[in-house]
Amino acid sequence: MSTVVLEHVNKRFGKTQAANDISFRVEPGEILGLLGPNGAGKTTTIRMMLDILRPDNGRIAIFGGPMTEEKKNRIGYLPEERGLYADLKLMDVILYLSSLKGMRKETAVTAAETFLKKLDLWEHKDKKMSALSRGMHQKAQFIVTVLHDPDLIIVDEPFSGLDPVNTELIRQMLLDLRSQGKAIIMSTHQMHQVEAMCDHIVLIHHGKIILDGAVDEVRRRFAGNTVEVSGTGPFDQLPQIQLAQHHNRTWQLTLAEDATPNDLLRELVQNDAITIEHFSIALPSLNEIFIRIVGESD
Amino acid sequence: MNKTFLVMRHEFWRHVTRRSFIFAILGMPTIMLLVAGGIILFFRGKADDPVGVVDQARVTMAPEAYQKITPDSVPFILFTNETAARSALTQDEIQAYIVIPADYLETGKVTLYHWGNVFEEVGSEVADYMRASLLADSDPALLERFRDNELDINFISLSPNGGSNSVFNIILPFIIGFIFLISIFSTSGFLLQAIVDEKENRTMEILLASLKPSQLMTGKILGLVALGFVQIGVWLGLVAAGIAIAQANIPQFEPIAFSRSAVLVAVGWFVPFYVMVAALITAIGISITAVSEGQQMVGIISISSMFPLYFTGLIIENPNSALSLTLSLIPFSAPLTMLTRSQITTIPVWQYGASWGILAGTAVLAIFLVSRLLQFGLLRYGKKLTWRETVTALRSR
């Protein structure tokens, strides 16, 4: 059973079509990257999943059906630009928000201790939120999101305000949660994190999905006619090559219009003046794909 | 545990431990007590000071004899001439002195000299002294009646709805109503601040990912109502203590007769009223981005609630008039009007039902509409909701 299913979901606010025929699925043990420029409709889509907003039409199924109060207890949500209660102590905030997820106080205290120690916040548990740094806020919010052991985790810019050490810590925790079979939806503009962590991406622009697929498949789809080669020889003088660029002992070879990677590989093998150490199809980064596809659809 | 209750408990404890709330709950009565105490001490000290008498008509009785029959009065001291009296006044030995001219029996006029402010009651003290002096040679029984000069009238009503009311008993509902209103609007400030903060920093979104908007709003509002009732409880407790102390120490202070129906109205009407106001304050909080933007709208609500005050005289004079009834049916003015009427008249049962029904219905409707508005307002962090957007939000979903 898919953890999340959206089928032909639409939502309009006045003249703005915030979600236009949105469809995708999220499976247990999968991280979905929900991508898009600012104002694309990502947050509206998340809010509809959480039942904060109702779609105008279409179907949303969470854990196999419509949202219920019991199901809300199985979801962890980390919105962007959060502040929490500045005048309350960290531990009190954690206990209050976990109680709203149906956690018993004793269980929450034990779990909170584990997470606070893991994220180096234990000694700050009795401080008011207003006394914590931005990074500490972020970690506290992350604890609130996962403390109740949710089966669906939705995180919006989870690495915002974190230093590299804490970024790695949160990243690893998310990967661990995936390996435990949790479904994770991650919305972020940090494309290298998406590339490294996500199994699947959905790119929304102007409320519409303009790209959808597994990360490797999407990168291959946008690979184009470029290969990466390392070794020795006159790579830039081969007839199948339109453009050759040399970076850090690696050649990026853009093929001529009628040439294929197979043609080039055959030529490289047969050419005695050339020795090959590495040959691969050059895959564009998700960042490049994002800029290209959003630019094209504008 | 029920999530509405969890929100209510959280909101209550969060605000009840605030320094500003503790200051509000204890600060106001403390300031009032200090001011009242200061005034009483100032005048009491001054009022007990002796009054000088320069009797050029030779009509007054000996001050010692007067003190014997009226031990509670201010002491009087005879001076042989004005110079001596003036000297005593400037040296603060007496609070004032009177000069009784030689032709007093023809004119009936005396002159009172004082320095700076004088306690107003000194006039009646002098009048009592003069009357006692003029009656000094009369029948001792007459003098005794004069000493005990309170007229004891027994009021008996021959109509079923009638009753006698002291001015204080009539004003008391307004005092109680005022306390409720002040409490409602002072604690509503906490709610407004909390709503604006939670909306702008998106804590509201985290909460709505855990519970329904109606649960969140109901919990918040009930938490605030509980907070308000703690405040009211403390204040009314202090008022009751003040009345008890006054009754024990001031013989003239009449017993307070607060009717059962008035108690019923105080609790039964102000709870839904509180809920209604809290829901409206929440709606304001959702529609704005900073507390200062909402002050004007909160002001309009509070002025509307004080509306019956402008008609106090008319309500008291004719508690069953069409105006009184109309004000009883309008949710904003119902609590104060009904509280006042219930203390001075017998209100028909249908009017109780209609007034409460409209008020409670409006409160429930307000929560329902605010829950709807919440979902739409959430999308507008950093921006105010326009009237058109508000109407759209209320009609959607």
Side-chain angles (χ1 to χ4, degrees):
Chain A
M1 179 185 67
S2 300
T3 306
V4 176
V5 177
L6 272 79
E7 286 176 352
H8 309 293
V9 169
N10 289 284
K11 183 72 184 178
R12 175 179 280 276
F13 297 110
K15 290 177 183 167
T16 308
Q17 186 74 42
N20 186 356
D21 198 29
I22 300 285
S23 298
F24 61 82
R25 284 169 181 267
V26 189
E27 305 296 335
E30 179 186 61
I31 300 181
L32 173 89
L34 190 59
L35 314 177
N38 296 328
K42 303 186 296 288
T43 307
T44 299
T45 305
I46 290 172
R47 285 175 176 155
M48 287 192 288
M49 280 187 254
L50 293 169
D51 201 38
I52 295 173
L53 292 173
R54 288 259 170 90
D56 296 337
N57 48 51
R59 189 178 84 93
I60 296 176
I62 306 292
F63 302 120
M67 181 66 83
T68 62
E69 195 171 326
E70 188 276 329
K71 284 181 183 176
K72 283 189 175 183
N73 291 349
R74 295 173 63 194
I75 300 173
Y77 175 42
L78 173 76
E80 199 189 358
E81 289 174 33
R82 46 258 153 198
L84 293 178
Y85 300 102
D87 56 332
L88 293 187
K89 291 176 184 171
L90 169 59
M91 193 59 156
D92 292 340
V93 170
I94 291 174
L95 294 181
Y96 171 55
L97 294 175
S98 62
S99 74
L100 294 180
K101 289 293 185 186
M103 275 189 106
R104 291 170 58 86
K105 191 177 177 185
E106 306 78 51
T107 319
V109 168
T110 310
E113 184 177 344
T114 308
F115 275 101
L116 286 167
K117 284 180 175 168
K118 193 169 185 179
L119 288 169
D120 208 16
L121 284 176
W122 179 246
E123 63 193 62
H124 304 288
K125 68 179 171 42
D126 293 323
K127 284 185 184 168
K128 284 192 174 178
M129 293 301 290
S130 56
L132 303 184
S133 69
R134 187 160 178 241
M136 288 174 179
H137 261 263
Q138 181 73 0
K139 289 192 285 182
Q141 186 63 66
F142 185 78
I143 292 172
V144 167
T145 307
V146 297
L147 190 77
H148 58 290
D149 193 27
D151 295 312
L152 170 61
I153 298 157
I154 302 172
V155 286
D156 197 346
E157 292 297 354
F159 308 109
S160 171
L162 295 179
D163 60 39
V165 174
N166 283 306
T167 297
E168 182 53 29
L169 200 56
I170 298 290
R171 195 179 84 90
Q172 199 53 55
M173 286 172 82
L174 283 169
L175 293 175
D176 288 347
L177 288 164
R178 174 176 66 181
S179 62
Q180 290 166 27
K182 314 292 185 187
I184 300 170
I185 297 173
M186 182 168 79
S187 175
T188 180
H189 291 131
Q190 295 188 20
M191 290 300 153
H192 63 285
Q193 296 288 10
V194 177
E195 220 167 278
M197 297 172 66
C198 293
D199 304 288
H200 193 115
I201 59 164
V202 168
L203 176 56
I204 299 177
H205 190 35
H206 295 315
K208 202 171 174 60
I209 292 178
I210 55 172
L211 183 63
D212 180 7
V215 172
D216 291 342
E217 185 266 317
V218 166
R219 289 182 71 198
R220 271 201 298 277
R221 206 190 306 166
F222 284 83
N225 241 3
T226 304
V227 296
E228 278 182 2
V229 178
S230 59
T232 55
F235 292 109
D236 53 343
Q237 288 166 24
L238 298 170
Q240 293 87 351
I241 303 302
Q242 188 183 60
L243 178 66
Q245 291 171 296
H246 196 214
H247 301 292
N248 298 330
R249 300 175 61 197
T250 301
W251 286 91
Q252 285 248 324
L253 305 175
T254 306
L255 302 180
E257 258 185 37
D258 53 348
T260 65
N262 276 357
D263 296 337
L264 178 64
L265 183 58
R266 203 173 296 118
E267 170 68 27
L268 292 173
V269 171
Q270 290 169 359
N271 193 324
D272 293 337
I274 290 174
T275 55
I276 316 167
E277 292 167 6
H278 170 86
F279 180 95
S280 66
I281 306 289
L283 296 177
S285 68
L286 278 182
N287 201 47
E288 289 166 330
I289 296 170
F290 183 97
I291 292 168
R292 185 174 140 196
I293 198 166
V294 169
E296 279 172 5
S297 68
D298 269 335
Chain B
M1 203 180 291
N2 184 293
K3 289 183 180 178
T4 304
F5 174 74
L6 289 171
V7 175
M8 177 186 149
R9 191 177 63 179
H10 167 78
E11 291 295 324
F12 176 77
W13 283 113
R14 184 183 167 202
H15 295 305
V16 85
T17 51
R18 276 174 188 266
R19 251 179 260 162
S20 51
F21 178 75
I22 294 167
F23 178 78
I25 204 169
L26 298 176
M28 203 176 92
T30 307
I31 291 168
M32 284 172 69
L33 279 176
L34 285 175
V35 170
I39 291 169
I40 289 167
L41 282 176
F42 175 78
F43 280 111
R44 202 180 182 120
K46 195 94 172 162
D48 289 345
D49 286 352
V51 173
V53 179
V54 181
D55 185 5
Q56 295 163 351
R58 297 190 179 282
V59 293
T60 54
M61 65 191 294
E64 298 76 25
Y66 180 64
Q67 202 72 45
K68 269 185 193 167
I69 58 166
T70 56
D72 295 333
S73 73
V74 295
F76 287 89
I77 300 173
L78 282 179
F79 289 92
T80 49
N81 56 54
E82 262 197 85
T83 313
R86 188 176 295 243
S87 169
L89 180 66
T90 53
Q91 286 172 35
D92 221 17
E93 290 168 6
I94 54 173
Q95 59 170 312
Y97 68 90
I98 53 168
V99 176
I100 304 164
D103 59 352
Y104 167 74
L105 288 176
E106 287 82 48
T107 63
K109 284 182 180 171
V110 297
T111 309
L112 187 142
Y113 295 91
H114 61 91
W115 196 267
N117 295 323
V118 71
F119 188 51
E120 205 176 61
E121 290 295 311
V122 77
S124 56
E125 292 278 0
V126 168
D128 285 349
Y129 179 51
M130 294 305 294
R131 274 198 293 270
S133 296
L134 295 174
L135 292 169
D137 298 331
S138 308
D139 179 359
L142 189 64
L143 204 56
E144 179 63 23
R145 180 54 48 225
F146 166 78
R147 192 183 73 80
D148 185 18
N149 64 359
E150 281 294 313
L151 189 58
D152 189 3
I153 303 176
N154 188 17
F155 286 82
I156 297 172
S157 169
L158 296 176
S159 76
N161 298 342
S164 70
N165 272 297
S166 71
V167 173
F168 189 77
N169 276 353
I170 293 170
I171 291 172
L172 191 62
F174 274 98
I175 296 172
I176 306 285
F178 244 138
I179 287 174
F180 270 89
L181 290 178
I182 289 170
S183 166
I184 288 168
F185 288 104
S186 67
T187 49
S188 291
F190 295 128
L191 180 68
L192 187 65
Q193 182 72 56
I195 295 285
V196 172
D197 288 348
E198 285 179 6
K199 190 191 78 156
E200 290 301 308
N201 67 24
R202 299 211 198 176
T203 307
M204 195 82 85
E205 258 180 272
I206 299 169
L207 298 172
L208 288 180
S210 305
L211 69 173
K212 292 182 208 159
S214 56
Q215 288 176 310
L216 178 64
M217 284 300 99
T218 308
K220 276 184 169 297
I221 288 166
L222 291 182
L224 189 79
V225 171
L227 189 73
F229 273 76
V230 167
Q231 193 175 39
I232 289 166
V234 171
W235 287 355
L236 287 185
L238 289 172
V239 169
I243 290 171
I245 291 167
Q247 282 177 333
N249 294 292
I250 306 170
Q252 295 88 342
F253 201 94
E254 291 174 30
I256 304 300
F258 207 47
S259 70
R260 275 187 194 175
S261 55
V263 174
L264 172 81
V265 171
V267 177
W269 265 248
F270 275 98
V271 170
F273 180 73
Y274 215 137
V275 171
M276 181 186 75
V277 170
L280 291 174
I281 299 279
T282 305
I284 292 169
I286 293 166
S287 316
I288 59 174
T289 58
V291 171
S292 55
E293 293 169 12
Q295 301 292 13
Q296 200 179 354
M297 287 185 268
V298 174
I300 292 170
I301 297 174
S302 56
I303 287 170
S304 307
S305 312
M306 305 281 184
F307 205 60
L309 287 178
Y310 308 123
F311 301 100
T312 311
L314 293 173
I315 294 171
I316 291 172
E317 203 172 291
N318 197 347
N320 292 318
S321 66
L323 173 74
S324 300
L325 175 60
T326 307
L327 289 174
S328 303
L329 297 179
I330 297 171
F332 280 108
S333 54
L336 213 48
T337 311
M338 288 296 283
L339 192 58
T340 307
R341 292 179 67 204
S342 64
Q343 182 73 345
I344 54 177
T345 188
T346 302
I347 303 173
V349 175
W350 75 266
Q351 289 186 18
Y352 273 116
S355 175
W356 192 86
I358 292 171
L359 178 60
T362 309
V364 172
L365 183 68
I367 291 185
F368 173 72
L369 294 177
V370 165
S371 302
R372 276 193 169 188
L373 191 62
L374 182 64
Q375 292 164 318
F376 197 84
L378 260 183
L379 294 167
R380 306 283 297 180
Y381 42 82
K383 291 175 190 168
K384 284 196 275 189
L385 273 184
T386 62
W387 284 108
R388 178 179 284 188
E389 286 167 337
T390 305
V391 172
T392 305
L394 295 178
R395 291 171 66 179
S396 66
R397 169 125 185 216

